[in-house]
């Protein structure tokens, strides 16, 4: 399918989008032979079929708007390129995995399931990635890094690994789609001031002039860059994500020499085949950025279910990334491991020595109970003024309806104490006030900080668990300025902002600007259209 859906071409005229339109017999794409058009914004000739960008004078490639070299499915009647004639395809009859290598490299077992049931055959379709990161770590070094990693894991069974098992570690280039995109988030959330930033206060207390929350609307723009997605079904997504990040500064144009001695997978899925998976992960990163935006509140809590994202100006690179894979069977369970062939990062799920997993789980359960107790204690401290008021009200009622002579004696004693020692009374009042301030303002914040610490500790993976995918800090484009503006309910920015007190008097019916009408660009790719104005979803990988 063409990148642009049947664009209209009028020879020698300028289109509405400032694109110079040429006749069908003027300029042809050096890659695919299709017609070229001149784009003022890009300053070059653009191919509507393969999305290539070329210099008008030399027709040399100066960029691309999509996959540079999309792989083509061959039906057996079209000849494979001479470069691919030197490669073979190894197929596992047990799990169906297909890997590509040169004729001089062989394998005696499957890198994915460990089966020796392998069949070698002639390559059935063209194999042409755009970029590749060559292996920097050889097999001996990868095994050494794995052993070093295991030595740092506590309570690992002593008989878990052996030299014979480690020798089966396999170097594999993983087919990967590296995606960059600008993102606009129409975010809806809760703007909070004062003590409402603490849920323990918010759940049990009403709003005041200082402590309140309200629904807030805004727009946040950012750019995410170089987020990798493996295109191989046989490789678990979480396992490959555990090997991230990669250093993309070492991406080089693909050359067959890099495959010698290693294996390479052919992709099973293109970006259009896994749009939900891609956009869900990008949504998770976009949501993380929105959590850091406060819109001048003490805290802003975005609601992903009510927010929408739009992705545009996307760039896709098809690359091969180096990884070492190892599968170990222990106690009847298959464990998979990955070593980043560039950085040496090791990850996977490791078994416990007998009994230690139950102890670890017990410790986590105790910490969760401590978090629950912490929240209840903060709620009690926030309720302290009401408790004190209730105590005073009770005693005042008691004195009001008790024996008048007894009440008079108590009041006389109190007044005499105040008259005889006013300094002690002042010190006592200051002490009581300070204690109340500590209990109502300081201690809850300290407890909340402790709860955050415990929650962060629980969210971290242990040395026995599979590492999580890197956070947004790894894929956030710092060269692209983040913009965040508070808007109306229709996500239309006002020329002048307003404060909370003014919002209560704000009349949407008379003061609201006209809503923006956002149209989908007819030249968008199908993959881009899938990312247009979609309901935000948190990362589900």
């Amino acid at each position: 399918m063409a990148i642009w859906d049947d664009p209209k071409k009028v020879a020698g005229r300028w289109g509405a989008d400032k694109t110079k339109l040429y006749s069908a017999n003027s300029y042809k794409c050096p890659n695919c032979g299709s017609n070229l058009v001149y784009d003022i914004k890009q300053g070059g000739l653009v191919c509507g079929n393969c999305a290539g960008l070329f210099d008008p004078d030399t027709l040399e490639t100066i960029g691309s708007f999509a996959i540079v070299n999309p792989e083509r499915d061959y039906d057996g009647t079209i000849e494979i390129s001479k470069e691919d004639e030197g490669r073979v395809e190894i197929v596992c009859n047990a799990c169906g995995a297909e890997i590509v290598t040169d004729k001089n490299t062989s394998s005696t077992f499957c890198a994915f399931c460990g089966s020796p049931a392998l069949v070698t055959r002639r390559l059935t379709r063209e194999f042409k990635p755009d970029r590749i990161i060559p292996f920097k770590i050889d097999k001996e070094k990868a095994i050494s890094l794995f052993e070093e990693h295991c030595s740092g894991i506590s309570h690992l069974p002593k008989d878990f690994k052996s030299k014979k098992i480690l020798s089966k570690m396999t170097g594999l280039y993983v087919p990967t789609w590296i995606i960059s995109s600008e993102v606009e988030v129409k975010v809806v959330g809760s703007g909070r001031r004062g003590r409402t930033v603490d849920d323990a206060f918010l759940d049990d207390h009403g709003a005041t002039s200082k402590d309140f929350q309200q629904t807030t609307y805004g727009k946040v723009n950012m750019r995410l860059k170089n987020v990798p997605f493996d295109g191989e079904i046989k490789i678990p997504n979480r396992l490959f994500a555990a090997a991230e990040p990669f250093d993309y500064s070492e991406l080089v144009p693909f050359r067959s020499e890099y495959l010698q001695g290693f294996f390479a997978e052919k992709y099973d899925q293109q970006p259009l085949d896994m749009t939900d998976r891609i956009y869900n992960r990008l949504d998770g990163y976009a949501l993380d950025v929105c959590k850091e935006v406060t819109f001048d509140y003490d805290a802003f809590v975005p609601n992903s279910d009510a927010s929408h994202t739009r992705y545009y100006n996307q760039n896709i690179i098809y690359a091969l990334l180096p990884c070492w894979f190892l599968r170990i069977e222990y106690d009847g369970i298959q464990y998979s491991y990955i070593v980043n062939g560039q950085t040496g990062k090791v990850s996977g799920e490791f078994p416990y020595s007998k009994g230690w997993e139950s102890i670890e789980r017990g410790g986590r359960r105790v910490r969760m109970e401590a978090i629950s107790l912490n929240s209840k204690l903060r709620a009690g401290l926030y309720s302290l003024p009401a408790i004190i008021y209730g105590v005073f009200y009770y005693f005042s009622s008691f004195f009001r309806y008790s024996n008048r002579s007894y009440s008079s004696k108590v009041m006389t004693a109190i007044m005499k104490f105040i008259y005889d020692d006013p300094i002690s009374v002042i010190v006592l009042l200051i002490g009581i006030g300070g204690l109340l301030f500590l209990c109502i303002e300081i201690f809850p914040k300290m407890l909340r900080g402790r709860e955050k610490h415990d929650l962060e500790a629980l969210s971290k993976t242990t040395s026995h668990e599979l590492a999580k995918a890197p956070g947004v800090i790894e894929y956030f484009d710092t060269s692209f300025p983040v913009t965040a503006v508070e808007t109306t309910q229709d996500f239309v920015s006002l020329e002048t902002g307003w404060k909370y007190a003014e919002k209560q008097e704000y009349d949407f019916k008379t003061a609201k600007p006209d809503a923006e009408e956002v149209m989908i660009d007819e030249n968008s790719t199908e993959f881009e259209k899938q990312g247009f104005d979609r309901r935000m979803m948190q990362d589900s990988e």
Side-chain angles (χ1 to χ4, degrees), residues 371-424:
I371 291 174
S372 177
L373 180 62
N374 186 315
S375 180
K376 293 176 182 178
L377 182 57
R378 293 201 318 278
L381 290 174
Y382 283 132
S383 301
L384 197 57
I387 295 173
I388 294 174
Y389 174 79
V391 171
F392 275 107
Y393 182 80
Y394 171 78
F395 279 105
S396 64
S397 300
F398 174 78
F399 285 122
R400 190 180 306 122
Y401 297 108
S402 63
N403 186 284
R404 289 185 175 275
S405 61
Y406 177 74
S407 300
S408 177
K409 290 179 180 179
V410 172
M411 292 301 298
T412 302
I414 294 175
M415 296 301 296
K416 185 176 184 304
F417 174 71
I418 295 174
Y419 180 80
D420 291 342
D421 196 355
I423 296 178
S424 296

Side-chain angles (χ1 to χ4, degrees), residues 497-515:
W498 68 90
K499 297 180 181 179
Y500 170 71
E502 299 170 341
K503 288 185 182 181
Q504 295 176 322
E505 303 173 356
Y506 185 76
D507 186 355
F508 284 94
K509 293 182 179 179
T510 59
K512 183 176 63 175
D514 293 333

Side-chain angles (χ1 to χ4, degrees), residues 183 185 219-224 286 289-290 292-293 295 472 476-485:
V183 191
V185 184
K219 277 185 180 180
V220 180
N221 291 273
M222 71 199 79
R223 187 172 188 272
L224 301 173
V289 174
C290 290
E292 300 300 319
V293 177
F295 295 111
V472 67
F476 172 69
D477 190 348
T478 56
S479 65
F480 188 92
V482 175
T483 59
V485 59

Side-chain angles (χ1 to χ4, degrees), residues 140-165:
E140 183 178 344
K141 178 64 174 177
I143 293 175
S144 174
L145 289 170
F146 183 80
E147 291 179 318
E148 181 180 342
H149 183 82
C150 289
S151 65
I153 300 177
S154 58
H155 315 308
L156 186 69
K158 293 181 179 180
D159 56 344
F160 170 63
K161 62 187 188 312
S162 67
K163 293 292 184 180
K164 183 178 179 181
I165 292 176

